[in-house]
């Protein structure tokens, strides 16, 4: 059974969605620098190729993303399948615990996981997240309070945070 993929045009850029055995395994930025490496990791982990198409889970994912961007949804209830190491999955699970409308630094996330000396490893795992928005890696900012790297680009990150945190007047970069 292949990984079924389709494109989703969001208000902040094009995403690639992928489902495998009725779980979302991909929701990532098409223009991402590491696009090919991320796709190869997923295909290799699942031992299945990618095929463009549509299924009910991808339809549900698009509906929930539409609701999110319309301001009608603050969390997702899509079954997901994360392809990564044990540590990466721990980080991605911790990202789900960051409430909508709040931000946290890499160091704070590492601390919340009980791994205060793992800030750099947490940052690397965050960068490897292939289920963007739904696994909210955009809620991570630098310890100085400034915006730092995002696979979808800084404009997308700024838009997502303004969408979720309208009371914060300015998110600066570096």
């Amino acid at each position: 059974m292949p990984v079924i993929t389709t494109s989703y045009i969001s208000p902040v850029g094009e995403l690639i969605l992928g489902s495998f055995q009725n779980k979302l395994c991909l929701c990532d930025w098409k223009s991402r620098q590491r696009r090919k490496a991320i796709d190869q990791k997923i295909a290799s982990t699942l031992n299945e190729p990618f095929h463009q198409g549509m299924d009910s889970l991808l339809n549900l994912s698009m509906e929930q993303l539409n609701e999110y961007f319309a301001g009608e949804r603050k969390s997702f209830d899509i079954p997901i399948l994360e392809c990564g190491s044990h540590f990466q999955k721990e980080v991605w699970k911790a990202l789900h615990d960051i409430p909508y409308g709040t931000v946290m630094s890499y160091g704070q996330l590492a601390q919340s996981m009980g791994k205060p000396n793992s800030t750099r490893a947490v940052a690397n795992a965050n960068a490897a997240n292939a289920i963007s928005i739904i696994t909210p890696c955009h809620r991570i900012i630098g310890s100085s309070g400034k915006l730092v790297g995002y696979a979808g680009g800084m404009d997308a990150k700024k838009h997502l945070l303004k969408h979720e945190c309208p009371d914060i007047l300015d998110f600066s970069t570096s």
Side-chain angles (χ1 to χ4, degrees):
M1 175 179 285
V3 176
I4 306 298
T5 64
T6 193
S7 291
Y8 172 78
I9 308 297
S10 83
V12 293
E14 187 173 359
L15 294 159
I16 298 173
L17 306 180
S19 73
F20 181 73
Q21 295 182 348
N22 210 33
K23 291 184 180 175
L24 191 71
C25 61
L26 181 64
C27 178
D28 205 8
W29 303 97
K30 185 173 184 176
S31 62
R32 175 185 194 141
Q33 269 188 325
R34 298 180 55 217
R35 170 82 278 123
K36 189 173 181 176
I38 297 287
D39 294 349
Q40 287 174 340
K41 174 148 179 97
I42 292 169
S44 170
T45 299
L46 300 176
N47 199 29
E48 292 292 344
F50 282 24
H51 285 291
Q52 194 155 9
M54 183 57 72
D55 65 15
S56 59
L57 182 75
L58 293 175
N59 273 323
L60 175 64
S61 300
M62 288 194 280
E63 286 173 19
Q64 289 194 15
L65 285 164
N66 286 338
E67 291 167 358
Y68 167 82
F69 284 112
E72 300 164 357
R73 175 174 291 277
K74 294 184 178 182
S75 64
F76 297 88
D77 55 6
I78 299 164
I80 59 174
L81 174 63
E82 297 164 324
C83 298
S85 70
H86 176 74
F87 181 78
Q88 287 172 327
K89 290 177 185 179
E90 276 187 82
V91 172
W92 300 334
K93 182 182 179 308
L95 288 170
H96 285 279
D97 293 335
I98 303 171
Y100 180 97
T102 61
V103 295
M104 187 179 279
S105 72
Y106 295 112
Q108 289 170 320
L109 185 60
Q111 186 77 33
S112 77
M113 296 172 60
K115 299 177 188 264
N117 298 322
S118 299
T119 301
R120 186 172 299 237
V122 164
N124 288 334
N126 197 60
N129 175 28
I131 306 180
S132 217
I133 302 173
I134 294 166
T135 299
C137 56
H138 61 278
R139 294 181 187 152
I140 300 297
I141 60 172
S143 59
S144 66
K146 296 183 188 259
L147 295 186
V148 293
Y150 187 61
M154 297 309 282
D155 287 342
K157 184 170 188 162
K158 192 180 288 189
H159 178 91
L160 293 170
L161 290 176
K162 285 288 192 186
H163 173 72
E164 291 187 13
C165 314
D167 296 336
I168 297 176
L169 299 175
D170 185 37
F171 280 112
S172 7
T173 56
S174 357

